[in-house]
Each structure stands twice: as C-alpha cells, then as structure tokens.
C-alpha cells in the first residue's frame, strides 16, 4: 500500500495523502498530522470538505451520511515522553457544519496503529506490535496491540483473522486496547455531580433518577422505562420517535449543566444511555443516543463507562444490571446493544473493588483504501 508523502496542488484542487479506515464500528479518512493545516479553523474547513459536511448523504465527500461514518483521524509522532503516537479525533456530522475535536472515540482509535504502520510512522519489528497512543482530545492514553507478521521478508499489518465484533460483518485480526486512568476524561471526574444518582425534573415526565458518569465518555444513564420505552427497540424506532428524542435532548441539556459541561447543545456529549435489564446473558442492555441519533451498537468508551457504572452500587445501571461473579481485581462485563454485545474487562483496585483503575477490550480494524483525498484549493492554500 502506498500513501504519497505530501499534499500537492493540481487542477484547482489539493491532493492530500489519506487512508480510509474502519476502526471498530466507525469509519473515516486518516491523515498524517504533517499533511494538514496547523490552525484549527482551516483544519475544520479541510475536514468538512473531505467528508462532504454538512449534507444528509455527504454526497460531495467521503462521509457516509451517519455520525458513525462522519469521522476523521489525524495521527503523528507524539511529543509526550513515553508515548509513541498522538491521535486527534474529529467528529463531523451530516446535519450540521460542526467539527468537534473535544470528544473521545475508542472505535476510530482502533485504526490508529494500522494507519501509522501503513503510513510508515511505526515500523513493526515483532509478530505483535504494541504502541502507546495518546488521544489529544482528552489526553487519554491507550496501549494498542496489532498483529504484524512477516510476509515475503516484510512486516506489515495482518488484517485477516477470526475475531468477530458485533456491529461489523465477518471476522478480522484482533486489535487489543488497554486504557489506564480514563476517569473524568471530559467531565473532570468519574462522578461529575459528586453523586452516583441524581434526581432531575424532566418536563412532561416529572422527577427521574439519572447517573452522570465519565470513565472515558460522559454518559447520562437513565432507566428506559421511565421514558416510556422498553430499551429494546431498534435504533431506527427510537430515532423515529420525536417525543422521546425531545425528552432525551431536554434531559441531556439539563444534565450537561449538572455535570459542569456547560451548554452542551453544540456538543456530541454527554451521550444519553437508556438502560434496561440484560436480555441475552450479558450485564445490561443499552441504547445510546450519540446524542441525536441512536448508535447501531455502542461506543468503546461509552461501553467502558456503562460497565463502570454497573459495578458501582447506587447507580441506575447497577440497579438493573446482572453482574458476573468477579474476583477482587478483574470483572468482564458484556454490555448489550442493538447489534449484540460489547465485552469490557475492568481492572479494579483490590482494596476497593468499586475503584476502576484500567479497562481492556478487543476491536478490529481495516484499511479500506489508500491514496489522495482532494479538496478545492480555495479551502486551503498551503
Ligand atoms: O465512546 C460514537 C463510536 C462512538 C464513540 C459515539 C466511541 C467511544 O462508536 O469511545 O467509540 O458515541 O458518538 O465510534
């Protein structure tokens, strides 16, 4: 696979080297940091043009008309001692012109190391390559391992394998991700309101209990039944329910303030997580508003955060969850979602099993296409 080395101008357009990657259940173009503008305003213009935002189909770009396929990754060598790569995640949207670089995305994160190897930023020397990656959006550090066997005298990423993740067809090689210290990634602390449960007034519904929690992704966890649904509906059914969407958004705005996140009307967090008892042998059933449409499965750090809430007595999640038998240092929970389940291993402090110190999970990734992404020269003239 070849990725040309620098942006170049021809025919009124700028050709920027890029690899289109699937990471977990998300997809987006990846770029080397050195190939993109330094200032965020020009960067946002370039990304909007590359993805084709805003437009419902993103027909004039490589976005897929859904928030999960309206993402981009920017990767470069890290400036932080002890870290190999810096990853910047950009969330774009088909329905508006926002370019949000404040949130985490553990799914696209799964594609960072394969991209860095494709782009020559990381040279594999063993059958498994483990790289420390910092997500610049929040400072979260992940240890990511990918398979890099030798083939014809050259080591590269092995994409084929027998790992299946729910929400993606087929099987691929595993990408393992371990996180340390993700508590309060955006909201500042694991329980940003200081409580495991808060009661808030929701117009048209009354007083309802929520858990506001952030172990990598700020979530508001609410019992689906108090919002008049079972929590087992399909994403399309929930997204097509205007009264529910209005209530969920009103609750999000209220909880955003409570969590110290300010006015979140233009933000992609907190994610609103409707929960119900597990249906299929897992710990908890979830439906995740991200935040205006419903996720086809669940975000990576959203799953880590929901799993964390499950093991904390007093939370809305704990009350509805079926917890697996745990030892004092490790619990593996299956967070059920519309396309199956997401397994998260939580590492616990032996002195206090409710203190989560690390998490680990498996994703897959695939390089879909490599080449140049064109944007009109008026957008950026390097
Ligand atoms: O929570 C979608 C995704 C995500 C985010 C979203 C994610 C995470 O599935 O770490 O991965 O919640 O907007 O890509």
């Amino acid at each position: 696979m070849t990725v040309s080395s620098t942006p170049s101008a021809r025919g009124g357009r700028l050709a920027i080297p890029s690899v289109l990657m699937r990471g977990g259940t998300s997809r987006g173009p990846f770029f080397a940091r050195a190939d993109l503008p330094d200032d965020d305003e020009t960067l946002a213009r370039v990304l909007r043009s590359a993805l084709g935002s805003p437009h419902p189909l993103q027909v004039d770009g490589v976005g897929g008309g859904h928030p999960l396929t309206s993402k981009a990754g920017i990767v470069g060598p890290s400036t932080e001692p002890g870290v190999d790569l810096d990853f910047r995640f950009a969330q774009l949207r088909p329905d508006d012109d926002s370019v949000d670089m404040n949130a985490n995305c553990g799914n696209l994160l799964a594609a960072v190391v394969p991209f860095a190897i494709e782009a020559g930023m990381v040279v594999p020397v063993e059958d498994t390559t483990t790289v420390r990656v910092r997500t610049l959006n929040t400072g979260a550090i992940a240890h990511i391992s990918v398979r890099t066997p030798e083939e014809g005298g050259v080591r590269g990423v092995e994409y084929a394998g027998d790992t299946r993740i729910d929400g993606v067809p087929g099987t691929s090689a595993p990408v393992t991700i371990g996180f340390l210290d993700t508590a309060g990634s955006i909201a500042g602390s694991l329980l940003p309101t200081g409580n495991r449960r808060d009661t808030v007034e929701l117009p048209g519904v009354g007083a309802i209990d929520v858990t506001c929690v952030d172990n990598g992704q700020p979530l508001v966890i609410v019992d689906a039944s108090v919002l008049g649904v079972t929590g087992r509906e399909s994403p399309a059914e929930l997204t097509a329910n205007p009264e529910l969407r209005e209530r969920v958004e009103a609750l999000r705005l209220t909880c955003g303030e409570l969590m110290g996140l300010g006015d979140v009307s233009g933000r992609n967090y907190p994610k609103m997580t409707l929960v119900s008892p597990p249906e299929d042998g897992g710990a908890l059933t979830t439906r995740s508003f991200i935040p205006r449409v419903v996720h086809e499965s669940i975000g990576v750090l959203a799953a880590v955060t929901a799993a964390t809430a499950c093991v904390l007595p007093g939370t809305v999640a704990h009350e509805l969850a079926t917890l697996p038998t745990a030892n004092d240092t490790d619990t593996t929970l299956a967070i059920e979602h519309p396309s199956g389940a997401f397994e998260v291993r939580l590492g616990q402090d032996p002195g206090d099993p409710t203190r989560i110190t690390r998490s680990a999970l498996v994703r897959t990734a695939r390089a879909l296409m490599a080449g140049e992404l064109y944007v009109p020269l008026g957008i950026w003239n390097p």
Side-chain angles (χ1 to χ4, degrees):
M1 186 173 301
T2 52
V3 184
S4 73
S5 54
T6 45
S8 56
R10 53 182 184 272
R13 66 195 183 172
L14 190 68
I16 308 175
S18 178
V19 182
L20 185 65
M21 303 285 308
R22 174 181 66 77
T25 51
S26 289
R27 192 186 71 208
F30 271 67
F31 304 93
R33 186 180 56 216
D35 291 338
L36 289 176
D38 289 331
D39 74 286
D40 278 0
E41 214 172 291
T42 315
L43 176 61
R45 279 207 305 273
V46 168
L47 294 178
R48 260 183 234 119
S49 171
L51 274 289
S53 277
H55 181 271
L57 300 177
Q58 294 173 316
V59 68
D60 200 28
V62 300
H66 189 284
L68 297 177
T69 49
S70 195
K71 303 182 170 211
I74 304 165
V75 182
S78 182
T79 51
E80 179 76 7
V83 178
D84 303 300
L85 293 173
D86 280 346
F87 164 55
R88 211 163 170 213
F89 158 63
Q91 174 72 63
L92 288 90
R93 306 179 54 82
D95 55 347
D96 66 36
D97 66 359
S98 62
V99 181
D100 186 351
M101 297 197 229
N102 294 295
N104 278 326
C105 179
N107 270 306
L108 220 57
L109 177 67
V112 168
V113 178
F115 166 75
I117 295 172
E118 300 295 355
M121 281 179 215
V122 169
V123 179
V125 290
E126 292 178 350
D127 285 353
T128 298
T129 300
T130 300
V131 175
R132 285 152 304 181
V133 180
R134 173 174 63 160
T135 296
L136 289 176
N137 303 45
T138 63
I141 308 263
H143 289 214
I144 304 179
S145 298
V146 301
R147 290 202 183 146
T148 46
E150 195 177 301
E151 207 176 314
V154 183
R155 282 190 189 279
V157 182
E158 174 66 61
Y159 292 100
D162 53 15
T163 299
R164 177 182 301 283
I165 59 170
D166 287 337
V168 177
T171 64
S172 311
V175 176
T176 58
I177 305 182
F179 293 107
L180 288 173
D181 295 333
T182 41
S185 66
I186 294 172
S189 63
L190 180 70
L191 297 165
T193 66
N195 307 314
R196 292 185 181 186
R197 184 184 283 249
D198 293 281
T199 303
V200 296
E201 190 61 33
L202 181 61
V205 178
I208 64 169
D209 281 1
V210 295
T211 289
C212 299
V213 55
D214 173 4
N215 195 15
Q217 193 68 267
L219 300 189
V220 176
I221 297 181
V222 55
D223 180 341
S225 65
V226 306
L227 296 175
V229 290
T230 64
R232 299 190 167 118
E233 293 81 357
S234 70
E237 280 172 306
L238 295 172
T239 303
N241 180 339
E243 192 185 52
L244 175 72
R245 283 175 56 176
E246 241 171 65
R247 286 183 174 161
V248 167
E249 184 60 7
L251 187 60
R252 194 175 78 85
L253 297 180
T254 304
C255 293
E257 297 284 356
L258 269 184
M259 294 168 86
L261 297 168
D263 174 10
V264 293
S265 49
R267 296 279 181 217
N268 291 293
Y269 53 75
K271 317 279 181 188
M272 303 303 291
T273 311
L274 276 50
V275 297
S276 55
E279 287 182 274
D280 209 12
L284 187 72
T285 297
T286 58
R287 295 292 184 267
S288 188
F289 282 72
I290 57 167
R292 283 174 279 277
V293 301
V294 177
H295 203 304
E296 295 296 320
S297 48
I298 188 169
V300 168
L301 286 147
V304 170
T305 302
T308 303
C310 286
V311 301
L312 292 180
T315 66
V316 171
H318 184 268
E319 182 179 81
L320 298 171
T322 301
L323 293 178
T325 358
N327 57 39
D328 278 351
T329 54
D330 247 297
T331 311
T332 299
L333 293 99
I335 300 299
E336 296 181 2
H337 56 66
S339 350
F342 191 129
E343 270 201 4
V344 178
R345 199 170 86 226
L346 296 179
Q348 293 156 284
D349 179 342
D352 174 8
T354 62
R355 205 174 85 77
I356 305 305
T357 53
R358 57 193 193 284
S359 56
L361 48 102
V362 178
R363 299 274 85 191
T364 63
R366 188 152 85 95
L368 301 169
M369 204 171 75
E372 294 168 332
L373 221 155
Y374 301 120
V375 299
L377 263 181
I379 302 259
W380 177 35
N381 296 302

